[in-house]
Amino acid sequence: LAIITLEAFPGMWINAFIVCVLCTAWVKKKTLNSNEKILLLLGCSRFWCLCFSWIYVFVSEILPYYLLVHPIFQLLQGSYSFFNCSNLWVSACLCGFYCIKIANFRNRFFIYLKVKIDRMVPWLLLGSVMFSLIIGILVYNTIDKAVCKNLNFTCQERLWEATIGIEEHFFPLYFLTGFLYTTSFMVVIFSAVFLLFSLWRHKCKMQTNSMNSLSMDAHIRAMKSILSFFIMYSINFMFSILTLVYSKKNQSLVILLGYSIQHAYPGVHSLILIFSNPKLEKTLLRILSCMKCKLCMR
């Protein structure tokens, strides 16, 4: 609980900062660009994902019998699954958006995507939310059926006696979760590879023409964001799969390490996104400087 708290609360504050800044800009400008729309939904998803995850850990450690009150356990797991799935897919959308917007290819389909990407972003985000909602409902219903069928509420000594019977209901969810992780991970891999290849081609072209280009800087900034995301996403993906595998083997050390990585990832990556976005970085530095001045005055 202490480890998860130390990781979840900073992550919630970081993502709450992103949401507040973008919502303020939305109110002032009456509009948001595509990148800001993705970041706004990503910040909301990560904030609530960490929030529900921490609540579940807190209740399970401090007040475990409250999980037996219908439908607290089902709601916590369903809500966490919804926001976690949304986090994964919106993250994949962000990588795909960077790749399509920055990379330069002469393929007709790629050119079509580059022209239409701004119109497609709201629909991609809506699709991500709807798909995540379906996953959350499936998780809720599966857990509800498993608990109602296998759990004996009349005998406290046998409250979790039917764990093996419950886990049989979770095999489709394990498969679906693994498929979700793998699909979003593949989007990140392809985005990184395509952008890296585009950067290499563009660099060779600039060297041949002995020219410097602003698009090179855009390539490099986007590449740094995607590569940092790719590294962290790879680590998170590996430990997410290990957590799924070892959750049935009661390997508490591996599960604890996996949960620690999964809770640290949203905050760390969101912090990188802040420093790769000039507006968010400027606002954060201004807030930090104001806080520093107030502390010095005291």
Side-chain angles (χ1 to χ4, degrees), residues 18-269:
I18 294 176
V19 172
C20 290
V21 172
L22 293 178
C23 286
T24 303
W26 192 1
V27 171
K28 290 181 178 179
K29 299 189 304 180
K30 307 297 182 182
T31 184
L32 291 175
N33 59 42
S34 299
N35 183 49
E36 291 172 336
K37 291 175 184 176
I38 299 174
L39 289 177
L40 178 60
L41 185 56
L42 184 62
C44 291
S45 300
R46 287 177 170 176
F47 175 85
W48 288 111
C49 179
L50 290 171
C51 184
F52 279 103
S53 180
W54 182 83
I55 292 174
Y56 172 74
V57 173
F58 176 81
V59 173
S60 62
E61 293 292 331
I62 306 300
L63 305 166
Y65 284 98
Y66 275 82
L67 294 177
L68 303 179
V69 179
H70 188 275
I72 291 179
F73 180 63
Q74 294 89 323
L75 282 174
L76 288 176
Q77 289 295 326
S79 300
Y80 171 76
S81 299
F82 166 67
F83 288 111
N84 186 45
C85 180
S86 178
N87 167 35
L88 292 174
W89 278 107
V90 176
S91 298
C93 288
L94 182 64
C95 281
F97 175 78
Y98 280 154
C99 178
I100 294 172
K101 203 73 175 176
I102 302 299
N104 291 316
F105 295 102
R106 295 182 180 179
N107 182 274
R108 289 185 178 181
F109 180 69
F110 191 85
I111 295 174
Y112 173 81
L113 289 178
K114 185 181 284 289
V115 173
K116 298 292 185 179
I117 187 62
D118 289 318
R119 295 182 181 179
M120 293 170 61
V121 164
W123 294 104
L124 288 173
L125 296 180
L126 179 61
S128 300
V129 172
M130 295 303 297
F131 180 74
S132 303
L133 183 60
I134 293 173
I135 297 296
I137 294 173
L138 287 175
V139 170
Y140 178 94
N141 289 334
T142 302
I143 294 177
D144 189 57
K145 291 179 181 178
V147 170
C148 291
K149 183 177 180 180
N150 293 280
L151 205 57
N152 183 359
F153 290 95
T154 61
C155 180
Q156 290 186 354
E157 290 81 8
R158 300 176 61 193
L159 282 173
W160 296 103
E161 186 185 51
T163 301
I164 296 177
I166 292 176
E167 285 186 353
E168 291 178 356
H169 293 77
F170 294 161
F171 288 143
L173 288 181
Y174 285 142
F175 174 79
L176 186 61
T177 304
F179 174 77
L180 169 66
Y181 287 152
T182 304
T183 305
S184 57
F185 185 54
M186 292 300 295
V187 173
V188 175
I189 290 176
F190 282 117
S191 298
V193 170
F194 286 146
L195 194 56
L196 183 62
F197 182 67
S198 175
L199 175 62
W200 176 74
R201 286 182 55 197
H202 192 70
K203 184 178 179 181
C204 292
K205 184 178 180 180
M206 290 299 101
Q207 288 177 343
T208 302
N209 297 333
S210 300
M211 294 172 60
N212 191 11
S213 175
L214 292 176
S215 61
M216 174 66 79
D217 296 332
H219 269 77
I220 294 174
R221 284 196 303 270
M223 198 66 237
K224 287 180 180 179
S225 298
I226 289 187
L227 279 180
S228 62
F229 179 53
F230 174 73
I231 294 171
M232 289 186 296
Y233 203 103
S234 300
I235 298 172
N236 182 63
F237 172 78
M238 180 180 67
F239 280 97
S240 298
I241 297 299
L242 287 176
T243 302
L244 287 176
V245 172
Y246 284 97
S247 62
K248 297 187 294 182
K249 299 181 180 180
N250 295 322
Q251 297 287 337
S252 57
L253 183 61
V254 177
I255 295 174
L256 176 62
L257 186 59
Y259 283 158
S260 299
I261 296 296
Q262 291 177 50
H263 283 80
Y265 157 73
V268 174
H269 182 247

